[in-house]
Amino acid sequence: MTISLHPSTLPAVLSPVLTPFKADGGPDAQKLLKQCKWLEANGVGQAIFGTNSEANSMSDPQKMNTLTALIEGGLNPEHMMPGTGATSIDATVTMTKHAVAHKCAGVLMLPPFYYKDVTDDGLFAYFSEVIQKVASSALKIYIYNIPPVTKINKSLSLLERLAKEYPKTVVGMKDSSGDWAYTESVIKLLAPSGFRVYAGSEVFLMRTLRAGGVGCISATANVNPKAIADLAAHWRESDADQRQADLDSLRSIFAQYQMIAGMKTAVAHFSKDPDWLRVLPPLMQLTADQQTKLLSELQKAHFSMPGL
């Protein structure tokens, strides 16, 4: 049986958008809206409330109220994939219903990550119960696979089972395993039926597109959106490998630091807004020396964030 492909309004590149925080630790929705509109103008969709958003340091109401403010502020929900996964089914259902009600194109769903060594049957039961309780034909789930953080691996058999049982609902994944062989195996197995695979880093963007995946949801799309989106749009052209090498080179600069704090340092610098430096504990800002070193390296690389 052939399963129909899943049309989507989501772009090939999305950013797990950095969250600006106020002095009291609450998310600054208006500053975030401005940032999201800058990403949108550079061809990048918004996977708000992802890992780089410090999502698990925020409460569910904070995230839902922020999503409402972003859409009321004019952000296009057809280019949005908010993170709604939580350790409890109830919280996941509540946030997912909220995203669906706001007509987001999809949701990015972490597994319940507290308990380790859980079975495929247990994970299937979790996602299945969420789907049944949300009970909406508009729901489009992208499974978020990030075993370096969750310590939970998604087996091919689990993904295949979910996609077959819920072909119109479990429509894709973000794979942040960092294991290209695994990513490629998911694409080979499920992309022919329309399952949309996003790599978790632009380092894998060319390989993902060439294998039949759809793009990437990547941290450094926060700071280098246009170059990453341009490669996704022109990956068949003769200079694509050089473009990929340039992306890899820039990412390697940020990878020397705690990525969230490093990217916030860049945004604060280029937007001339030191409030962007704030991160929530247990994360910490880069030290003054680290900030100076990072900005010096970015200057040597002729890096800028025009229009920010």
Side-chain angles (χ1 to χ4, degrees), residues 98-147:
H98 184 76
V100 171
H102 283 79
K103 297 182 168 50
C104 292
V107 297
L108 187 59
M109 197 172 288
L110 279 167
F113 52 82
Y114 180 79
Y115 296 107
K116 311 308 177 191
D117 301 318
V118 292
T119 64
D120 279 4
D121 284 346
L123 291 170
F124 181 86
Y126 170 90
F127 288 113
S128 181
E129 193 162 332
V130 168
I131 291 165
Q132 291 168 35
K133 288 187 172 181
V134 173
S136 172
S137 61
L139 173 60
K140 306 296 179 192
I141 293 174
Y142 291 79
I143 303 291
Y144 187 6
N145 188 51
I146 182 167

Side-chain angles (χ1 to χ4, degrees), residues 220 223 249-270 277 285-303 305:
T220 39
V223 292
S249 178
L250 182 70
R251 187 182 179 97
S252 70
I253 295 175
F254 283 97
Q256 299 173 80
Y257 305 90
Q258 201 287 324
M259 285 282 283
I260 297 168
M263 291 187 296
K264 283 191 163 182
T265 296
V267 175
H269 174 75
F270 287 103
L277 291 170
Q285 295 178 18
L286 299 188
T287 66
D289 285 348
Q290 287 175 321
Q291 290 179 37
T292 299
K293 184 171 182 287
L294 170 59
L295 294 173
S296 173
E297 291 171 332
L298 293 176
Q299 184 179 26
K300 287 176 185 174
H302 306 292
F303 173 78
M305 298 175 69

